Amino acid sequence: MAYEVAAPKYVRLAQTLQGRIEDGTYPPGTLVPSENQLVQAFGMSRPTVVRALDLLKRDGWLESRQGYGTIVRGRPEVVEQKDQRGREALERDESVSPGRLVQVDQVPVPPRVASFLGVPKRTEVLVRRLLIEEDGEPVELASSYFPVGMTDGTDLAEATPLRGSLREHLESRKKLRFDHVTERVSARLPSAEEADLLALSTGEPVLSVLVVACDVSGQALQVTDVLLPADRQELEDTYRLG
């Protein structure tokens, strides 16, 4: 059984600071608060603050300048590229993808997915989990969740790769219409099973792109959690599907 693992304090602090960069609280070119100010403002230890700042520097949000301080760089290009992982996951053809299905099963809905699908906690949902590999190395784990009732009359519960995308399959079999997608990107610790599939060391965080695909009324039809190893590669983006 997979368990939800809360992100460590330094990751949560990095997410908060990243959000303030995104909403303009810390504009590009300005100084972020000092370590002392952050310790006092968030009630966290200095090592936690330092690790959070180091994480944001590594990912390109911040830059240290000798004798001046830590500067906000703004939204790094690599994050712009990760924003499109949701559309790629939604449109991916399993039969030709560079990876393999590692799980097709009914499982208890993860807490972070339940609210988007509009189902009670501990409800069983169908998951299709696809591991993407490049040169024999795992680079992405995409877990797509569906309400069990929605899969009736489809091949989603079959443990074989589907031809065409999951979106196309649902639209053709269930006469549904996908209208828009919302992506929420955050860092978290993977479950033991996720870490094993992605060949990650203990305690190594992943970037989670939570993709919520909805119809025109806003009802979620599919939720996909795309996990990316942080060393191989919180924001929100909404776009319309043509």
Side-chain angles (χ1 to χ4, degrees), residues 77-147:
E77 182 179 351
V78 66
V79 173
E80 300 283 357
Q81 296 169 354
K82 287 170 182 173
D83 272 355
Q84 296 307 310
R85 291 287 187 161
R87 178 179 288 274
E88 293 175 8
L90 197 63
E91 305 292 350
R92 180 179 288 129
D93 185 336
E94 291 180 345
S95 66
V96 297
S97 67
R100 55 191 172 90
L101 275 173
V102 293
Q103 183 181 16
V104 180
D105 200 4
Q106 289 188 25
V107 299
V109 61
R112 66 184 180 284
V113 173
S115 60
F116 293 113
L117 285 181
V119 299
K121 294 180 179 179
R122 293 183 292 278
T123 298
E124 287 209 336
V125 294
L126 179 74
V127 62
R128 292 183 69 87
R129 180 166 285 177
L130 187 68
L131 182 67
I132 303 299
E133 299 171 316
E134 293 180 1
D135 299 324
E137 180 182 41
V139 295
E140 177 185 328
L141 180 63
S143 302
S144 296
Y145 299 91
F146 308 87

Side-chain angles (χ1 to χ4, degrees), residues 15-101:
Q15 291 172 344
T16 299
L17 297 177
Q18 177 183 311
R20 294 187 180 185
I21 296 172
E22 286 283 298
D23 67 19
T25 301
Y26 303 149
T30 62
L31 286 169
V32 295
S34 67
E35 292 177 8
N36 285 337
Q37 291 172 323
L38 292 173
V39 166
Q40 294 176 3
F42 292 96
M44 295 185 177
S45 67
R46 184 178 297 277
T48 297
V49 169
V50 170
R51 291 190 72 184
L53 294 175
D54 285 345
L55 182 60
L56 292 171
K57 292 173 188 175
R58 186 196 69 184
D59 289 345
W61 294 91
L62 302 176
E63 176 185 358
S64 291
R65 294 186 184 176
Q66 188 68 29
Y68 191 62
T70 301
I71 305 296
V72 176
R73 295 183 61 186
R75 204 166 193 248
E77 182 179 351
V78 66
V79 173
E80 300 283 357
Q81 296 169 354
K82 287 170 182 173
D83 272 355
Q84 296 307 310
R85 291 287 187 161
R87 178 179 288 274
E88 293 175 8
L90 197 63
E91 305 292 350
R92 180 179 288 129
D93 185 336
E94 291 180 345
S95 66
V96 297
S97 67
R100 55 191 172 90
L101 275 173

Side-chain angles (χ1 to χ4, degrees), residues 167-183:
R167 170 195 174 185
E168 292 171 342
H169 189 78
L170 271 175
E171 287 186 333
S172 64
R173 293 294 185 91
K174 303 292 288 188
K175 307 305 178 185
L176 300 171
R177 173 66 178 173
F178 284 68
D179 180 73
H180 61 276
V181 165
T182 296
E183 297 179 2

